[in-house]
Amino acid sequence: MPLDQNPLFRKVILPWYDTEKACYTVIVFMLLVFLFGIAGILEAVEKTEYNEYIWVPVLLVAMSTVVIVSTSIRLIKRYTH
């Protein structure tokens, strides 16, 4: 007996890290990291002895922005399909 190629109950199984709840959790956490980085930039600009370390909060802001954008694009693609 051949296998049915189009079963009625077929549903795409997503890994746990690609669920909507996980994506929203990542976005919220990255927003907190983004705000922490902004606070670090403001503090590094204000104090002259920290000016050479401004690259750390700038890197945090840039990396969290990339994660937020990529996760948002993933969610948008999921909702449009």
Side-chain angles (χ1 to χ4, degrees):
M1 180 170 164
L3 293 175
D4 188 11
Q5 295 298 326
N6 291 321
L8 296 174
F9 56 86
R10 190 164 93 191
K11 183 179 177 185
V12 177
I13 299 174
L14 296 174
W16 66 269
Y17 55 84
D18 199 24
T19 60
E20 289 183 19
K21 186 176 180 180
C23 288
Y24 288 131
T25 304
V26 166
I27 289 174
V28 168
F29 181 71
M30 286 298 119
L31 283 173
L32 293 174
V33 172
F34 181 83
L35 293 175
F36 182 72
I38 294 294
I41 290 171
L42 294 175
E43 189 67 26
V45 168
E46 185 178 316
K47 297 191 178 190
T48 57
E49 61 266 13
Y50 295 146
N51 281 343
E52 62 189 43
Y53 301 112
I54 199 166
W55 64 271
V56 176
V58 168
L59 188 62
L60 279 176
V61 168
M63 291 174 70
S64 65
T65 303
V66 168
V67 172
I68 289 170
V69 168
S70 67
T71 307
S72 299
I73 289 172
R74 178 180 294 165
L75 285 173
I76 290 168
K77 284 183 181 179
R78 186 175 301 152
Y79 285 130
T80 57
H81 285 107

